[in-house]
Amino acid sequence: MDDIRAGVFAAPPPRVTAANAAAMASLLGVSVDAHHSAEQRRLDESAARKTNWQRWGPYLSERQWGTVREDYSYNGAAWDNFTFDMAAMRAFRWGEDGLLGICDRECRMCFALALWNGKDSILKERLFGLTNSQGNHGEDVKESYFYLDATPTSSYMRAVYKYPFNAFPYEELVCENARRGRQEPEYELEDTGALDNYYDVQAEYAKAGPNDIYVRITATNFGSEPGTLHVIPTLWFRNTWSWAPGCNKPSIKARVCEDGSQMLVTQQETLKEFHLHACPNPQQRAGQTPVELLFTENDTNTRKLWNVTDCGPYTKEAFHEHIIRGNEKACNPCREGTKAGVHYVLRLLPGQSETLLLRIVAADEEHEQSGSGGCSGAAAVFERQIREADEFYSIVLHCSQLSRDEKMISRQAYAGLLWSKQFYHYSVRQWLHGDASFPPPPPERCAGRNADWAHLYNSDVISMPDKWEYPWYASWDLAFHMVAMCSVDPYFAKSQLILLLREWFMHPSGQIPAYEYNFGDVNPPVHAWAVWRVYLQTGRRDRVFLARCFHKLLLNFTWWVNRKDPRGKNLFAGGFLGLDNIGVFDRSRPLANGAFLEQADGTAWMGFFCSFMLAIACELAFHDIAYEDIASKFFEHFVAIIDAINRLGGTGLYDENDGFYYDQILMSNGVVTKIRCRSLVGLLPLIATHILDHETLARLPAFRRRMNWFLQHRSELGRHVASNERAPGECDYLLALVPLDRLKSVLGYMLSEDEFLSEYGIRSLSKSIGVSSCPLGHLVYTPGESDSEMFGSNSNWRGPIWYCVATCA
């Protein structure tokens, strides 16, 4: 098994036996039947480190180019330093990408598809899209592909890519989007007519064992004419040898089997020997030459890129040269290298399909699962894994209220979530200072992006917001994802939430890293909420997981209090806080002349954070009285935040005339200016509520005594705590950022169709907004694509509905 960083899992899992199956099912909050499903057993075995079912998965990125970690420029121009065009011939330093591919959890060995329609100038090895500056609304993938199915252990996965029959319109997409202004819609692949005729290429993966993966590729001509499609399933090693002298180089070689078929044999120092078996071309006739095997090195072509002649004869883009340009010298005639492809040529009539079978298997396990070598067991393995995937999802989606179509939609949504796991590698210290085999990076980098995050070392499988548009983790996105992930893989959900709090992620100051473009930026503090939700979803029993997260979240809470409360008055300013499309100006930038911002949403998020730290502390105190003191701290801090947002300076951040919460600017001379723009920032105080019920208080006598003292002796704060006496001596208490006398007004705005309520959810900006009255800028309600350049203007994911925020309520 791989070396998995110690301590990532929530708790040492018990050994998986029939005797403790029911106990583990109870711990996970699932039925015994669910626990007995084949997929659930694989999950249990993987978590117990008994069998490494999750060693291989969809961990291959869809875009490694244009990322911060591959950027070695002096000015941080990530999109320009490593472009799409370069990716075909330049080795990546920190990862790999590919089309509908997989890799092991350390991205040592990768497998993906390459395609050619006979008309493009390059092979289709990776997804194409526009950079931030090329798109009229920022970066955007310009392809048509869909994740169709997946299980948590990747025992079965299915996805499809739609490849144009005619030449892919690369230049047309770039030029037309450049011509369009921000008021116009984006120009998509469908708009070009390229998908009027296309090849449907479906990739399926099924595991016969932890290191035994069958691949089924089905190509269908959805065009009106016969066509020729080249399919090149490609196996390669991530380049780990070019960056420092003395590194061992892996190899892939051809071998002829006893039956005359061919296979690829791999050698790598930390992986077993693996074999890739490739079935014959289904259109191949008896006596014809077997499928062509291609070999090259996953090395940069420095001659083409920089006119430097220190590269070898075989480089990364060799298959383009060989297949498209007919260069017979591009590939290694010795049939070995670090990158290999199996070249199939399919001639397809309109509506015709052909299926290709391959198998990636550890040499010492080849005969264990199917009883035979090669691809002969493929049909049975696919049939079994599809059946077991159906069984797993029939339990996960057992709710009778869901229709058949709704269950299909939910299952495909989980597929998207599971396919978006990605190997993410980034050592900031090494990235800043460069590699031994290369010149040092520009000195400006040591004072630039992420320079104060030198401790950060990431080499993990992490949930991504999107493996093309955002092929890097974002802390608050991940928190939301794990609440959904918990329904299908609670082990992974817990491990991810713990991971972001570990020492190699979290800053020594207590800040959680935001995202690679600026780890020091500030995301809303939703981690405690996600931890609590996952704890509840998994049976409310894993207190080790809860305590581990709580201790680190204490550091994060302290960071917020010390860094984001400029006056020490419990009014917080976190910057843009992820809600990019609702600000009059960039709230992450410092204001002029010593002024600073006090934010309604920043303060609301801290009340929200505080409420869940209180809930966790009370839960832990049920079993350890030492936590009662810290529960008291969060109770009193929550009340102080309620007081500040409603009373500080008279009315806090609430405007009595409008009946709404606004951000405000505090000038250096003490003058306060409210930013009267009705946006989601004024609704977010609604999410921060907490109920302390009688049963909880009865179990925490020390906490209750302290709370009663506080309510009696700090009456100016205690007035914010509402109580409901259900019987003599039995009271429930409500803590809420928005008091009852203001709730009606705020809800009135939220539920008005002329303000925030739409048929699709809550708008992030009030529909009533024309141009803001704020003298610092203007803000216009624009449902759909943003017309602003702020934050790169990539607003196609920003709203106007923030569904994730609604889940916090």
Side-chain angles (χ1 to χ4, degrees):
M1 291 179 66
D2 304 316
D3 292 326
I4 303 173
R5 204 184 303 277
V8 168
F9 288 93
R15 188 169 60 90
V16 180
T17 65
N20 64 22
M24 288 188 68
S26 178
L27 172 67
L28 290 168
V30 299
S31 69
V32 175
D33 287 342
H35 197 82
H36 282 170
S37 73
E39 177 63 12
Q40 187 62 54
R41 286 196 295 273
R42 284 188 287 266
L43 277 171
D44 295 339
E45 291 174 4
S46 181
R49 306 186 190 187
K50 177 182 177 182
T51 308
N52 201 353
W53 283 106
Q54 291 173 302
R55 186 187 207 185
W56 299 90
Y59 313 140
L60 185 65
S61 178
E62 287 163 358
R63 179 173 64 81
Q64 186 69 15
W65 61 273
T67 59
V68 166
R69 53 200 182 278
E70 297 292 344
D71 171 28
Y72 282 80
S73 67
Y74 74 94
N75 60 351
W79 287 106
D80 301 324
N81 186 252
F82 202 133
T83 66
F84 173 81
D85 292 334
M86 290 179 181
M89 63 188 80
R90 180 176 168 185
F92 295 119
R93 170 62 181 88
W94 297 99
E96 287 291 342
D97 65 18
L99 183 63
L100 306 185
I102 62 172
C103 67
D104 70 278
R105 64 183 308 133
E106 296 177 41
C107 196
R108 291 165 292 189
M109 191 166 78
C110 311
F111 174 89
L113 308 185
L115 307 169
W116 188 48
N117 55 16
K119 295 157 186 157
D120 282 341
S121 60
I122 58 172
L123 295 181
K124 176 61 69 175
E125 287 186 305
R126 56 184 50 81
L127 297 171
F128 171 74
L130 303 184
T131 69
N132 187 274
S133 62
Q134 288 176 327
N136 62 324
H137 293 287
E139 68 264 28
D140 189 32
V141 64
K142 300 298 183 185
E143 299 275 14
S144 183
Y145 62 105
F146 302 91
Y147 306 130
L148 301 177
D149 207 356
T151 58
T153 65
S154 306
S155 57
Y156 179 70
M157 300 193 303
R158 181 165 61 99
V160 66
Y161 173 72
K162 299 183 183 299
Y163 185 36
F165 188 91
N166 295 310
F168 193 95
Y170 294 104
E171 186 175 358
E172 181 181 348
L173 287 164
V174 172
C175 293
E176 178 59 21
N177 277 283
R179 186 195 66 77
R180 295 189 177 197
R182 302 200 183 278
Q183 303 291 343
E184 298 176 88
E186 297 177 10
Y187 189 63
E188 305 291 3
L189 180 62
E190 292 83 354
D191 299 326
T192 69
L195 294 179
D196 293 347
N197 296 281
Y198 65 91
Y199 298 104
D200 188 278
V201 182
Q202 181 174 268
E204 294 176 274
Y205 298 90
K207 290 182 180 178
N211 295 294
D212 190 354
I213 306 157
Y214 285 85
V215 185
R216 185 162 65 188
I217 302 165
T218 304
T220 304
N221 181 354
F222 278 92
S224 57
E225 301 175 9
T228 299
L229 177 66
H230 297 247
V231 182
I232 310 98
T234 306
L235 188 73
W236 76 100
F237 286 106
R238 174 166 64 93
N239 189 322
T240 56
W241 54 87
S242 294
W243 321 111
C247 294
N248 292 329
K249 193 171 184 177
S251 69
I252 307 173
K253 297 180 179 180
R255 181 184 296 174
V256 178
C257 302
E258 293 179 0
D259 61 0
S261 64
Q262 302 180 97
M263 69 176 179
L264 302 177
V265 179
T266 73
Q267 295 288 342
Q268 200 265 2
E269 59 182 342
T270 62
L271 276 175
K272 300 177 180 181
E273 177 182 307
F274 274 81
H275 297 166
L276 186 145
H277 295 274
C279 71
N281 188 328
Q283 298 180 341
Q284 178 182 319
R285 297 176 182 175
Q288 284 187 329
T289 305
V291 291
E292 183 181 29
L293 299 184
L294 307 175
F295 295 85
T296 189
E297 302 294 340
N298 186 20
D299 286 327
T300 299
N301 189 331
T302 56
R303 283 189 303 273
K304 282 189 176 180
L305 283 170
W306 304 300
N307 200 28
V308 176
T309 59
D310 62 351
C311 60
Y314 311 113
T315 51
K316 185 177 178 180
E317 84 291 3
F319 301 168
H320 301 255
E321 289 292 317
H322 175 80
I323 295 172
I324 297 175
R325 282 172 271 284
N327 182 355
E328 297 295 333
K329 296 182 179 180
C331 293
N332 190 342
C334 296
R335 308 216 305 169
E336 62 178 319
T338 50
K339 178 179 178 180
V342 185
H343 183 198
Y344 293 94
V345 182
L346 303 176
R347 293 171 177 83
L348 301 172
L349 298 173
Q352 182 182 357
S353 297
E354 290 288 3
T355 298
L356 309 175
L357 292 173
L358 302 98
R359 182 186 182 191
I360 304 166
V361 59
D364 60 356
E365 299 177 29
E366 182 162 347
H367 299 280
E368 291 181 8
Q369 306 298 331
S370 62
S372 62
C375 302
S376 58
V381 172
F382 274 102
E383 180 182 358
R384 181 177 73 247
Q385 295 301 2
I386 291 172
R387 183 178 65 250
E388 292 177 357
D390 291 342
E391 173 195 37
F392 176 75
Y393 279 109
S394 70
I395 297 167
V396 170
L397 302 172
H398 68 279
C399 178
S400 59
Q401 295 178 346
L402 293 178
S403 68
R404 181 175 179 274
D405 286 348
E406 287 170 337
K407 289 180 179 180
M408 289 175 62
I409 292 169
S410 297
R411 179 165 171 174
Q412 190 168 351
Y414 281 123
L417 189 64
L418 293 166
W419 269 91
S420 294
K421 296 177 183 179
Q422 178 187 306
F423 171 75
Y424 184 89
H425 186 32
Y426 189 14
S427 169
V428 172
R429 184 180 300 278
Q430 192 166 3
W431 176 77
L432 288 171
H433 298 291
D435 296 301
S437 296
F438 289 81
E444 292 89 343
R445 291 163 59 82
C446 289
R449 174 178 286 150
N450 296 331
D452 54 352
W453 285 77
H455 76 286
L456 188 138
Y457 183 90
N458 297 165
S459 185
D460 303 272
V461 171
I462 305 177
S463 178
M464 302 289 126
D466 181 282
K467 289 204 297 184
W468 191 94
E469 198 152 348
Y470 313 104
W472 29 261
Y473 62 90
S475 59
W476 83 306
D477 298 67
L478 183 141
F480 286 114
H481 296 167
M482 291 309 103
V483 173
M485 181 70 76
C486 188
S487 297
V488 290
D489 191 350
Y491 296 120
F492 185 73
K494 291 178 183 180
S495 70
Q496 292 281 283
L497 292 171
I498 290 174
L499 185 64
L500 260 65
L501 300 174
R502 292 308 304 264
E503 304 78 59
W504 52 91
F505 280 76
M506 177 181 269
H507 196 276
S509 67
Q511 185 178 10
I512 295 174
Y515 36 73
E516 71 174 18
Y517 268 86
N518 184 0
F519 285 124
D521 216 332
V522 183
N523 278 179
V526 296
H527 215 82
W529 166 82
V531 166
W532 180 248
R533 287 287 300 268
V534 167
Y535 173 73
L536 295 181
Q537 285 178 246
T538 54
R540 203 168 181 165
R541 300 191 181 190
D542 193 351
R543 289 186 294 276
V544 173
F545 160 72
L546 196 65
R548 290 181 68 186
C549 291
F550 182 72
H551 294 156
K552 288 298 186 69
L553 286 167
L554 286 172
L555 300 179
N556 184 237
F557 188 89
T558 304
W559 176 85
W560 269 91
V561 170
N562 291 337
R563 299 291 183 92
K564 296 301 173 181
D565 180 10
R567 292 195 288 163
K569 300 291 186 180
N570 292 307
L571 293 180
F572 295 86
F576 89 110
L577 287 175
L579 304 177
D580 313 33
N581 61 340
I582 63 173
V584 178
F585 52 86
D586 186 344
R587 300 188 300 173
S588 291
R589 295 180 181 274
L591 300 179
N593 302 319
F596 56 85
L597 189 66
E598 292 174 328
Q599 295 176 220
D601 58 337
T603 305
W605 282 122
M606 277 303 286
F608 183 76
F609 191 0
C610 207
S611 71
F612 284 96
M613 292 297 279
L614 172 58
I616 295 171
C618 288
E619 183 76 10
L620 294 171
F622 291 157
H623 308 277
D624 185 345
I625 61 172
Y627 287 97
E628 288 195 60
D629 291 350
I630 199 70
S632 295
K633 175 263 183 302
F634 283 111
F635 168 80
E636 296 181 18
H637 207 137
F638 192 4
V639 174
I641 294 172
I642 296 172
D643 185 68
I645 199 171
N646 288 290
R647 303 294 175 192
L648 189 66
T651 61
L653 300 181
Y654 186 78
D655 186 274
E656 292 282 8
N657 293 325
D658 291 357
F660 201 72
Y661 291 91
Y662 295 120
D663 290 354
Q664 67 184 23
I665 298 173
L666 183 65
M667 307 297 184
S668 58
N669 60 4
V671 174
V672 174
T673 302
K674 280 190 166 57
I675 304 175
R676 287 184 170 82
C677 300
R678 283 197 294 280
S679 71
L680 196 56
V681 301
L683 297 180
L684 279 171
L686 293 169
I687 70 173
T689 62
H690 186 75
I691 295 175
L692 285 166
D693 58 46
H694 169 72
E695 289 76 15
T696 296
L697 296 173
R699 296 178 65 182
L700 303 174
F703 172 80
R704 183 172 188 169
R705 284 194 300 272
R706 173 63 190 175
M707 185 190 76
N708 289 338
W709 183 96
F710 181 85
L711 296 176
Q712 180 181 354
H713 292 87
R714 298 294 305 277
S715 57
E716 77 284 3
L717 297 177
R719 62 183 174 176
H720 299 301
V721 181
S723 63
N724 176 51
E725 188 173 24
R726 28 165 139 155
E730 295 184 8
C731 270
D732 299 332
Y733 295 87
L734 171 67
L735 291 80
L737 237 54
V738 182
L740 185 60
D741 60 327
R742 295 175 178 178
L743 181 62
K744 184 176 180 180
S745 177
V746 177
L747 284 177
Y749 285 111
M750 187 181 81
L751 300 176
S752 169
E753 294 182 5
D754 294 326
E755 293 278 351
F756 289 98
L757 184 62
S758 79
E759 58 183 312
Y760 302 108
I762 303 300
R763 301 180 178 102
S764 54
L765 291 175
S766 170
K767 186 179 179 181
S768 68
I769 288 182
V771 177
S772 163
S773 60
C774 176
L776 297 177
H778 74 279
L779 191 63
V780 179
Y781 174 70
T782 50
E785 303 294 353
S786 173
D787 59 1
S788 166
E789 295 186 16
M790 196 184 300
F791 304 106
S793 74
N794 179 18
S795 68
N796 50 12
W797 62 284
R798 291 178 183 150
I801 307 301
W802 281 82
Y803 175 76
C804 59
V805 172
T807 68
C808 295

